[in-house]
Amino acid sequence: MNTTTFNKSKILKAQISKLYFVVIIVFTFSAKAQKVFSVEYANQADVKVFIVKYANIADLKVYRVNHNNQAGENDGKWFFTEYGNQADKKIFFTQYANQADLKIFYVEHSNQAGWNDNSKKKFFE
């Protein structure tokens, strides 16, 4: 085997390793997408949420996306699924703030979505 073939082989192996790394990273991030399903009863939910009137008292500012491929990576961009088995998290909307794990505020633009309280991110990981 000459040195040119040996170097090409090393380069090819390095590129394949990088490709595997990228694939693993993509799958890791896609697992944290915020596809949610609204359930009827609190005991069916992974997370209980309350909608607040003001953005500054919310734990999370939520932007509702229209398509599932637009769902964010734990950044407040939610896609509501038709069925529970399509969702990453099942949520229940509470009547009172003290019943909720998370307080949310709906925003009008996607760039406004995000966490005010990072300690609550754990609910969507």
Side-chain angles (χ1 to χ4, degrees), residues 66-116:
N66 295 321
H67 305 285
N68 109 14
N69 64 347
Q70 297 171 324
E73 298 169 357
N74 204 0
D75 62 359
K77 294 175 185 161
W78 284 6
F79 175 74
F80 283 82
T81 64
E82 274 190 67
Y83 304 101
N85 63 354
Q86 297 170 330
D88 297 315
K89 293 290 178 179
K90 294 178 182 144
I91 62 172
F92 176 77
F93 290 98
T94 65
Q95 289 185 345
Y96 303 101
N98 64 353
Q99 298 171 328
D101 301 314
L102 189 69
K103 293 179 279 189
I104 67 167
F105 178 80
Y106 283 109
V107 294
E108 293 183 21
H109 306 285
S110 65
N111 65 341
Q112 297 171 318
W115 290 95
N116 286 341

Side-chain angles (χ1 to χ4, degrees), residues 5 10 22 31 38 59-61 66 69-70 75 107 116:
T5 306
K10 277 179 94 174
V22 169
S38 179
D59 300 318
L60 175 64
K61 293 174 285 185
N66 295 321
N69 64 347
Q70 297 171 324
D75 62 359
V107 294
N116 286 341

Side-chain angles (χ1 to χ4, degrees), residues 21-33:
F21 178 75
V22 169
V23 168
I24 290 169
I25 294 298
V26 167
F27 280 113
T28 301
F29 283 121
S30 66
K32 294 184 180 181

Side-chain angles (χ1 to χ4, degrees), residues 6-73:
F6 180 74
N7 286 338
K8 286 181 182 177
S9 176
K10 277 179 94 174
I11 291 170
L12 182 61
K13 285 181 182 178
Q15 289 175 337
I16 290 172
S17 295
K18 288 178 187 177
L19 179 62
Y20 282 130
F21 178 75
V22 169
V23 168
I24 290 169
I25 294 298
V26 167
F27 280 113
T28 301
F29 283 121
S30 66
K32 294 184 180 181
Q34 292 177 300
K35 296 178 202 159
V36 297
F37 179 73
S38 179
V39 296
E40 287 188 50
Y41 303 102
N43 64 350
Q44 298 171 326
D46 299 315
V47 184
K48 295 185 266 320
V49 299
F50 179 75
I51 302 170
V52 296
K53 292 182 181 182
Y54 305 102
N56 63 332
I57 59 173
D59 300 318
L60 175 64
K61 293 174 285 185
V62 173
Y63 179 75
R64 192 171 178 162
V65 298
N66 295 321
H67 305 285
N68 109 14
N69 64 347
Q70 297 171 324
E73 298 169 357

